[in-house]
Every structure is written in structure tokens, then in C-alpha cells.
Amino acid sequence: MIESLWDQLARRLVDALGAQRGELIEVRDEAGNQRLLHAVLLALESVGAEPLVSVLPAQQVERLLVTTSPDTLATRGRRYAEWLYQVDRSLLLVGAYPNLSQITDEALHTFCTAYNRLEKIREDRCIPQVIAAIPTIGKAAQLGLSHEELELRMMPALLVEPNELRAITERLMPVLNSAATITISSGPGYELHLHRDHQPWLYDMGRLTAPVGARDAIISYLPSGSVYTTVIADRAEGDLFLPVAGPARAVHLHISSGRVTQIKAVSGADRLIELFDRHDGSSRQITHVGIGLNPRLLQPLGWAMADQHVQGALCIAFGKDRYLRGASISSLNLDFVINGASLRVDEQLIVDQGRLVANSLPTIV
């Protein structure tokens, strides 16, 4: 029997989870791809794991918030919360985001409170998670692409094996870990100078490697392939240009002593400032830098979950990252992805205008 790409992806997801016989695996289907969901459940059963399934794609969220009373929404997930205390690992399938423009503030607040209550349990228990971006019809429409084009661009990147990503990473690590400084050039006159802390660079190869019950929550993403490091926040100095930063376009961030002190943009500056300022004092603090490595992702889609793994893309994070080396949780973590920028560690060029350079990766040219 010929195996479909969805069957292959299901096996890849279960491999990424490291699911074991007798484990309870939470499967959250927010993508709404029934064929993939059924393939994932079969793959889990095949290794002897037991699935705990929650199906809540975008259209169902929209209907739920329109048709359900706030009192009912407030009690949603109470029994599910009890089951979460038995979960060993978690898989989240992400597709289109729900359209919340017609939802009342009361319904949205109540739903989010219940949703975040479950998220808090996952964080407190440090449940290892795999989060996968799934190409769906709804997501393609949000990105302005055909469903066929989105699948063609995403599926090869989702199916990249960890060993291929690891081979790329191992060429980079000696250079990255021996350097103390990071310089990002994002355009003429835009240069940001950063200093690494004492921690080594970390990597995500699309497979959970830490044991269940580890002290820090471990998260792996698909598409995968990235390396990242924390920086000494109060020593970050300079300027950063972002073509897109949340609601803003053509953004200039000035950073002094590790904090964003000035925000300018061609459009959306006020909305971006509001996004930063509605959160706590750490929201303007730069925390870590990542480099995308996936060799099957060569161009951004406008979907941050995928774009941060585009080979040669840079990811800049602000706010305390709840998942990185056990740092304390902040009310905000913003990741901005830059394509076409350059990155040096000490004087070694690693990324040249969005491309990994040949002298850092001698077999990737």
C-alpha cells in the first residue's frame, strides 16, 4: 500500500514526540485536518501510546464563541484539566487562526481565561510539547496562497529528518559557541550589537530530547531547524530594521541598554507601541536570537511559525521567554523574524543577507 504524505507526516510527528508505550499523549487538533488527525492517532496506537484528543479548529472556535453563553465558557475544560495531570507529552496541530472580529469582549475574555488555565497546567508540569504548523485550506486563504501551493512549500519542510538538520547544526556549533559577540546588520545604517551570556547555543532539530519530567518545559517545532542563544540584555545596543513587526510595517527599533527606547514605522507604529506597553516592564527587553536552518524552507510565507525556520532567517525575541532555559514567565514574548539580514559572531560571517555563507557551511551553498 502506498503511504500518503499525511501518513508520513503523522509518523514524523510521533517520532518528534518520542512517544513511548503506555504514555498518555495529548493531541490538540487546532488545524482541522481529519485525515492527518486519524493518521496521528493510528501512529500513536501503533507504538502503544494512548491519545487524549481535543479537536478545536478555527471555525469551531468561532461558532463556539457565538453560540455558547459566557457562564458555560467559564466552566469549559474543568474535567479536561484533571486529565492533563496524567499527560506525558503533548502534540499541538496549528492551522488557521480564528476570526475573532465579531466576537464579544466578554465571550473572548472568558474563553481565553479557560484556555490559559490549561496552558498554565502544561507549563507548571513542564509537559514536553511538539507544535506543528499544518497547511490547511483556511491557513492558505489567510496567507493569500492556494492550498496546493501552501502544501507544496510546507510538506517538504515538515518532513525533513532530524539527522539532516543535525548535520547542518554540527558545522555551525564550533563557530557559534567560541564567539562572545553577535552583530546583526538589517539594512544600511541599521546595526545591532549583542553580547552572549555564558550559555552554549541551543538547537531544535524537530525531536524532543529531554526526558519526561525535566525541570524546564521542552518544546520542539515542525517545521524545524534552528539554533538560538540568550543574550546579555542590558548590553544590547544599536538599531534594528524590521519589514514587518506585528501590526507595523517598515519598523525602526532603537535599542539602548538592552531595551527598545524608540519605535518608528511607516505604518502601525502606534499599534506596535501599544502592544509593547500593555504588558509588563520586560516586554521591551531583548532576550534571545535565533538562526533558521531548514534547507527546504527558502522563502518566507508570512507565517511566523514557519518563517523563523527559513534557512538564513533571523529571529529576535523580546520579553522573558517562558521556555528558554527556565527563565521566569512574562506576560509577553514577541518573536520578530527578519529575512535578508546579516549576522556575524565576533568577526565570523554566518549569515550574509539572508543566506548561510559557504565558509560556515561548506557543503551548503
Side-chain angles (χ1 to χ4, degrees):
M1 184 176 72
I2 299 176
E3 188 177 52
S4 74
L5 285 177
W6 297 115
D7 292 325
Q8 294 178 42
L9 179 55
R11 288 194 296 103
R12 176 71 182 89
L13 290 167
V14 171
D15 175 67
L17 278 167
Q20 304 294 315
R21 178 180 299 176
E23 289 185 335
L24 181 62
I25 309 296
E26 181 190 26
V27 180
R28 290 184 284 161
D29 180 15
E30 296 182 5
N33 184 322
Q34 292 190 15
R35 187 173 183 182
L36 175 61
L37 176 61
H38 294 165
V40 166
L41 298 182
L42 177 60
L44 286 172
E45 296 279 7
S46 297
V47 300
E50 299 183 29
L52 170 65
V53 183
S54 169
V55 180
L56 203 63
Q59 290 184 336
Q60 186 168 329
V61 171
E62 294 164 11
R63 290 195 296 268
L64 180 69
L65 293 180
V66 169
T67 61
T68 308
S69 70
D71 286 345
T72 301
L73 289 173
T75 60
R76 183 182 172 277
R78 294 289 171 83
R79 179 55 60 88
Y80 194 91
E82 298 176 10
W83 299 334
L84 265 185
Y85 284 98
Q86 305 302 317
V87 163
D88 296 293
R89 304 171 195 264
S90 178
L91 172 64
L92 172 58
L93 308 176
V94 179
Y97 298 124
N99 180 0
L100 304 176
S101 60
Q102 304 301 315
I103 307 302
T104 66
D105 290 343
E106 182 182 13
L108 183 59
H109 174 75
T110 305
F111 175 82
C112 289
T113 298
Y115 187 94
N116 290 337
R117 186 165 56 240
L118 299 179
E119 282 291 290
K120 185 66 163 55
I121 295 173
R122 296 183 187 97
E123 292 164 3
D124 289 346
R125 293 199 60 236
C126 298
I127 298 174
Q129 298 184 60
V130 170
I131 301 176
I134 306 302
T136 64
I137 294 174
K139 190 62 189 180
Q142 289 180 344
L143 296 173
L145 302 172
S146 69
H147 186 211
E148 293 76 10
E149 182 180 358
L150 184 59
E151 283 192 1
L152 284 171
R153 293 175 66 176
M154 285 286 291
M155 291 301 281
L158 285 162
L159 292 171
V160 171
E161 290 293 331
N163 287 342
E164 182 176 357
L165 297 172
R166 186 178 299 277
I168 300 171
T169 304
E170 287 177 348
R171 297 187 189 103
L172 273 176
M173 281 303 191
V175 177
L176 296 178
N177 282 327
S178 65
T181 64
I182 300 170
T183 302
I184 296 173
S185 301
S186 51
Y190 295 97
E191 197 162 85
L192 178 62
H193 301 278
L194 307 165
H195 295 262
R196 285 181 54 227
D197 61 17
H198 64 281
Q199 299 285 352
W201 285 68
L202 301 180
Y203 55 86
D204 179 10
M205 300 297 100
R207 179 178 286 155
L208 294 174
T209 56
V212 175
R215 186 180 64 179
D216 297 338
I218 303 299
I219 295 182
S220 185
Y221 292 89
L222 264 69
S224 193
S226 64
V227 291
Y228 52 100
T229 188
T230 50
V231 297
I232 302 173
D234 59 7
R235 296 186 65 186
E237 301 283 346
D239 297 272
L240 191 66
F241 178 79
L242 301 166
V244 178
R249 299 295 181 269
V251 179
H252 171 201
L253 301 181
H254 180 70
I255 298 167
S256 178
S257 299
R259 291 176 52 82
V260 175
T261 58
Q262 189 174 25
I263 300 174
K264 297 180 180 179
V266 169
S267 65
D270 290 343
R271 294 169 61 197
L272 182 59
I273 291 170
E274 180 185 1
L275 179 61
F276 273 115
D277 290 349
R278 78 168 72 132
H279 295 275
D280 65 25
S282 67
S283 63
R284 291 184 179 229
Q285 177 179 302
I286 189 167
T287 56
H288 76 270
V289 174
I291 305 171
L293 300 179
N294 194 303
R296 305 292 183 271
L297 279 172
L298 300 178
Q299 293 181 330
L301 294 165
W303 191 0
M305 281 187 62
D307 291 351
Q308 64 183 321
H309 298 103
V310 169
Q311 191 170 93
L314 305 182
C315 182
I316 315 296
F318 294 86
K320 292 181 180 177
D321 190 326
R322 67 183 65 190
Y323 301 123
L324 189 62
R325 299 190 182 112
S328 58
I329 296 172
S330 169
S331 62
L332 174 68
N333 175 231
L334 281 179
D335 292 338
F336 296 132
V337 180
I338 314 174
N339 294 280
S342 299
L343 180 144
R344 300 192 308 274
V345 293
D346 290 347
E347 297 305 317
Q348 174 72 56
L349 185 65
I350 301 296
V351 178
D352 184 12
Q353 299 183 50
R355 293 180 61 86
L356 290 172
V357 296
N359 58 356
S360 295
L361 293 174
T363 64
I364 305 295
V365 294

